[in-house]
Each structure stands twice: as C-alpha cells, then as structure tokens.
C-alpha cells in the first residue's frame, strides 16, 4: 500500500505543479477576460436642460470627480468645487495600483474617440471599449435611461483636457482576479424615467442605490469580486487612508437603530451634515460632491434611510 501511495504521489505532485504553472502563465499573459455585451442604443443630446441635469448628476450624487477629477486638485474636490475630469487619481490596493482615466472628450487622452454606446455600456455594465471588465467601481447600472442620457450628454459637452493618464498596474493577485473571478453579473432592474417626478422614499431609494451608491459602501463586500457579503446598509466595508494602513475606517450602519449613523438625526440635521462636507483630515466618503446635492434630494435620501428596518435584536442565549 505504501509503495502504491508513493507511485500515485509521483504523478500527482508533478501534475499539480504543471497545472499551477499553466494557471500562472495564463493569468500573467492572458488577463483580463473579454466579454461580449451589446452596446446600448443612445445618442448624446445637445439640449441645455439635459446637459445641465448631467452636470448635476456628475458633480453631485454621481461623485465622478472623486475618482476622475484632476489629481492635482484633490483639496478642491473635497470642498465640493467642480474640477476638470482629467483623471490621474490612483488607489494603491492589494490588487495593485488602480489609476482612474481622463473622461473629458479629448480624442487622444480622454473619451473623445469612444462612441456614445461604449460610454453607456461602461456605465451600465463596467465593460470598457476593449470588452474588458474592470474592478467594480462603476455602480450606475440601474440608473434611469433619461439620467444615463444626461450623464453621457454632459461628458460630451464638457471642455476637452489633454492629460495622458498612465494605465493601472495590477499585481499577480489583481491579474488573477481579473482573469478568473471578476465578471459583470446581473445589473438588476433599471429604474424608469418616471422616478424623476417622484419624491420621498421612492426617490430616496433611487438616489441612494443607483446614483450616490450609499448601499455599495455601507455594506460588507468581497475585496476580490466586489460581491456583497453582508446585509445591505449595515456597514462593514473597510477603507485605508493613503499611506497609512493603521488609520483605516469601517463604513458604519445607515439603518435607523442604535448602531446606525442617522440615529437621532432629523431631516434638517441630516441635510446640514451632508452640506457641511469633509470635517476631518481624511474620509473615504465623497463629502465634497455630496455637499452640492439639492435639499430635495437630501431630504428624499434621509426619508429612505429612515424607513429601513433596523437589524433584528439577537435572541436569548440558549443552554
């Protein structure tokens, strides 16, 4: 029996080594995967009201400048000021350095050479013009068709900025994730355009989930796939400030219970806090863009968060 086991091991160990080597080579040279997804049928509008709506969404609840803003104007972004979306901001993660691109309409260094359909598909699915799916930072998959058109229209209408941004640099773990684990998934139902005429809780849910991404940061998520691993809005996602891994923070619960960050706040207090912007040296929350949101939108978000069911209390200990 021992002789038989040794013979088996002679085949298994080299076989595993070959398999691991093949996996490593495939990951290194063939990442990331490419996905075939249809391009949305969309054409940017020159209507001033549509562009103005896109301007508000991009610089407000959509907080695009927090990632794609001019890297040299981080302080201005934190103050809620509008800056060129010329890119260059980066995040150093355990998957590598993620660099956010220039999304002004410059044809050489920005999005000027991309079609409206390619821009819309990236917002909807996270799949870029090369058919690649990036890390799950794009959380606009369920926005209404009208708001999608408004964002694309504003991106087209903004002044082009020549700024050549370096590509992201993934380490082996990042390449492994892009090659084998990350996939677009199912975006869920798209909100109807009628949501723009609604108010209160329904509108607050749309803003919190489709645009401001409150749920995406205030819910535990896998650091490899981005999938949710905790209850919605109960916090648990860890963030680290640049260059100081010992001063990280964990997103708090937004449910209206004793642990929830909005507990004890009324509408006016919630709105005042959001309008106050960044009040500490660093925070992962995009306070600057959020501070520019309208009172009506902040009020709707408050009503929605206040309507969430608190986490159930633990039952009595048994035994």
């Amino acid at each position: 029996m021992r002789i038989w086991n040794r013979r088996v091991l002679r085949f298994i160990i080299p076989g595993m080594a070959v398999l691991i080597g093949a996996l490593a080579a495939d990951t290194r040279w063939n990442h990331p995967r490419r996905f075939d997804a249809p391009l949305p049928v969309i054409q940017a509008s020159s209507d001033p009201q549509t562009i103005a709506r896109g301007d508000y969404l991009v610089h407000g609840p959509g907080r695009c400048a927090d990632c794609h803003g001019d890297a040299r104007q981080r302080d201005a972004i934190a103050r809620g000021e509008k800056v060129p979306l010329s890119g260059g901001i980066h995040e150093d993660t355990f998957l590598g350095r993620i660099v956010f691109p220039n999304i002004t309409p410059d044809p050489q260094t920005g999005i000027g050479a991309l079609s409206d359909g390619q821009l819309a598909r990236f917002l909807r699915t996270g799949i870029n013009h090369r058919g690649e799916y990036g890390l799950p930072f794009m959380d606009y998959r369920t926005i209404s068709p009208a708001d999608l058109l408004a964002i694309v229209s504003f991106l087209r209408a903004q002044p082009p900025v020549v700024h050549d941004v370096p590509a992201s640099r993934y380490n082996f773990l990042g390449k492994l994730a892009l090659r084998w684990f990350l996939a677009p998934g199912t975006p869920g139902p798209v909100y109807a355009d009628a949501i723009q005429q609604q108010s209160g809780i329904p509108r607050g849910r749309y803003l919190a989930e489709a645009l401001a991404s409150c749920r995406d940061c205030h819910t535990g998520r896998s650091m490899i796939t981005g999938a949710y691993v905790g209850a919605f809005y109960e916090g648990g996602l860890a963030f680290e400030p640049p260059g100081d891994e010992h001063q990280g923070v964990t997103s708090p619960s937004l449910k209206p219970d004793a642990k929830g960050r909005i507990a004890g706040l009324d509408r006016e207090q919630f709105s005042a806090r959001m309008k106050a912007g960044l009040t500490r040296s660093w925070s992962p929350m995009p306070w600057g863009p959020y501070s520019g949101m309208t009172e009506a939108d902040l009020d709707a978000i408050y009503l929605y968060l206040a309507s969430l069911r608190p986490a159930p209390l633990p039952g009595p200990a048994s035994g």
Side-chain angles (χ1 to χ4, degrees):
M1 180 65 71
R2 291 180 180 178
I3 296 175
W4 185 84
N5 287 340
R6 287 198 297 268
R7 289 176 178 175
V8 171
L9 289 175
R10 287 175 185 175
F11 288 98
I12 292 178
I13 293 175
M16 291 181 63
V18 170
L19 180 62
I20 293 172
L23 175 64
D26 180 77
T27 298
R28 180 177 181 183
W29 299 113
N30 295 321
H31 91 284
R33 284 183 293 172
R34 285 178 169 80
F35 299 88
D36 184 18
L39 297 177
V41 178
I42 187 173
Q43 183 175 1
S45 172
S46 58
D47 173 60
Q49 289 187 332
T50 300
I51 294 173
R53 171 68 178 170
D55 188 346
Y56 170 72
L57 295 175
V58 164
H59 288 110
R63 76 250 176 253
C64 300
D66 204 54
C67 291
H68 295 280
D70 185 341
R72 299 162 298 183
Q73 301 189 52
R74 297 297 296 269
D75 290 342
I77 296 171
R79 293 193 297 268
E81 299 175 13
K82 294 181 180 180
V83 304
L85 301 177
S86 53
I89 294 174
H90 67 268
E91 296 285 347
D92 288 317
T93 74
F94 68 97
L95 299 176
R97 171 167 287 189
I98 316 302
V99 186
F100 298 97
N102 179 350
I103 58 171
T104 72
D106 176 65
Q108 301 300 323
T109 64
I111 61 172
L114 305 184
S115 70
D116 295 337
Q118 288 172 326
L119 293 176
R121 183 178 68 176
F122 189 50
L123 288 164
R124 280 271 189 245
T125 68
I127 298 174
N128 65 21
H129 61 285
R130 294 184 296 273
E132 301 166 354
Y133 179 67
L135 296 177
F137 290 114
M138 303 301 294
D139 296 311
Y140 309 103
R141 301 183 179 193
T142 61
I143 59 175
S144 69
D147 279 348
L148 179 64
L149 176 62
I151 291 174
V152 171
S153 299
F154 170 74
L155 293 178
R156 290 293 192 212
Q158 62 180 320
V161 177
V162 179
H163 185 207
D164 196 8
V165 175
S168 296
R169 299 198 304 270
Y170 298 102
N171 56 30
F172 179 75
L173 186 58
K175 292 176 181 179
L176 189 70
L178 288 168
R179 179 65 178 159
W180 297 104
F181 296 104
L182 288 173
T186 303
V190 171
Y191 281 88
D193 289 338
I195 193 67
Q196 294 186 22
Q197 280 71 52
Q198 296 189 31
S199 60
I201 292 176
R203 180 165 182 79
R205 178 177 182 178
Y206 172 65
L207 290 164
E209 296 187 355
L211 284 164
S213 295
C214 305
R215 180 180 64 183
D216 298 299
C217 285
H218 289 272
T219 303
R221 301 178 74 172
S222 165
M223 292 292 99
I224 297 294
T225 66
Y228 296 111
V229 295
F232 289 157
Y233 295 104
E234 288 189 3
L237 188 60
F239 296 87
E240 294 178 358
D244 191 352
E245 62 182 17
H246 301 293
Q247 296 297 321
V249 298
T250 300
S251 61
S253 168
L254 293 182
K255 288 192 172 182
D257 55 22
K259 297 186 299 181
R261 189 52 59 91
I262 69 166
L265 297 180
D266 58 26
R267 297 188 196 183
E268 290 75 17
Q269 291 170 324
F270 175 79
S271 179
R273 176 63 195 94
M274 296 297 292
K275 289 285 187 181
L278 182 65
T279 58
R280 51 190 294 182
S281 60
W282 175 83
S283 172
M285 186 162 168
W287 286 107
Y290 289 162
S291 68
M293 294 176 64
T294 64
E295 292 284 352
D297 281 351
L298 291 175
D299 185 66
I301 291 175
Y302 171 83
L303 291 175
Y304 171 62
L305 295 178
S307 74
L308 297 175
R309 294 181 62 184
L313 295 175
S318 60

